[in-house]
Amino acid sequence: MTYQCLLIEVKDRIATLTLNRPERMNALGDTLREDLYDAVTKCAADPGVGVIVITGAGRGFCSGGDVKSMSDRDQAGQGTTTSEHLTPIRDRVVLAMRDCPKPIIAAVNGAAAGAGMNLALACDLRIASATARFSQAFIKRGLSPDWGGSWFLPRVVGTAKACELIFTGEAIDAAEALRLGIVNAVAAPEALMNEAYALARKIADGPPVALQLAKRAIYRNLETDLRAGLEFETFAQGVCKGTEDMKEGVKAFIEKRAPVFRGK
């Protein structure tokens, strides 16, 4: 697969998607939205991919919307038409990431601003470089959040802190993002990808069916009551018990060895 604004590499069941507009700090313009949607959906369907890692080329993760391009379109009188065109693909990207049965890790290598922060929040796990900064910069551009920020952020940091971050648009550093639970870990810049791949390999070595059902259960149960959550867990356990991986997991436990899961 080749894309205009995205690099993709698959190795050891880990797909790395690199946002590739470094001259614009990987702003979500040109074909990047379409490229990202296509890559995520194809990786989701690829049995050779167990985990997806998303990162940015150059010194930034993603600066959000391409403000310069938006300004140019507005001056040309194309703003409304373009917005109507971009909204569906933006939403499809976010939903594809959430519906993807494979875990997605954001390796945040630099600034994650506005939609860039929300793209990271749409991932299941986040590891940040010590130099990374996060901001809900929309309010400083006269905008309210998109890319799911008003949905994701309160669920991660709580309503009051989400209001503060969104209403002020102030940036926070990686250490504060870790304290708030926005990121799972912080790494030295030169160690970021090694840390991300170590986590990705640990997950990719797990049983694919159980992982897919676990991800589905977590997000499904955010929106259901306890009874419905318990019912889904019973369903998921029943599916897992019919797999060879479950038998391998039990056998490996008894034999006191590491299991070798094969996705069956």
Side-chain angles (χ1 to χ4, degrees), residues 44-81:
D46 186 348
V49 173
V51 179
I52 300 170
V53 175
I54 298 178
T55 192
R59 59 191 180 89
F61 177 72
C62 178
S63 60
D66 193 332
V67 176
K68 184 178 186 303
S69 293
M70 287 189 287
S71 176
D72 291 344
R73 288 193 300 267
D74 286 341
Q75 290 179 13
Q78 300 172 341
T80 302
T81 301

Side-chain angles (χ1 to χ4, degrees), residues 117-118 121 135-136 145 148-159 161-167 172 180 182:
M117 179 176 178
N118 295 337
L121 290 172
S135 66
Q136 291 288 323
S150 60
W151 194 92
F152 291 121
L153 194 58
R155 286 166 167 79
V156 174
V157 302
T159 303
K161 193 64 183 181
C163 286
E164 179 186 337
L165 293 172
I166 291 172
F167 294 169
I172 59 172
L180 291 172
I182 292 172

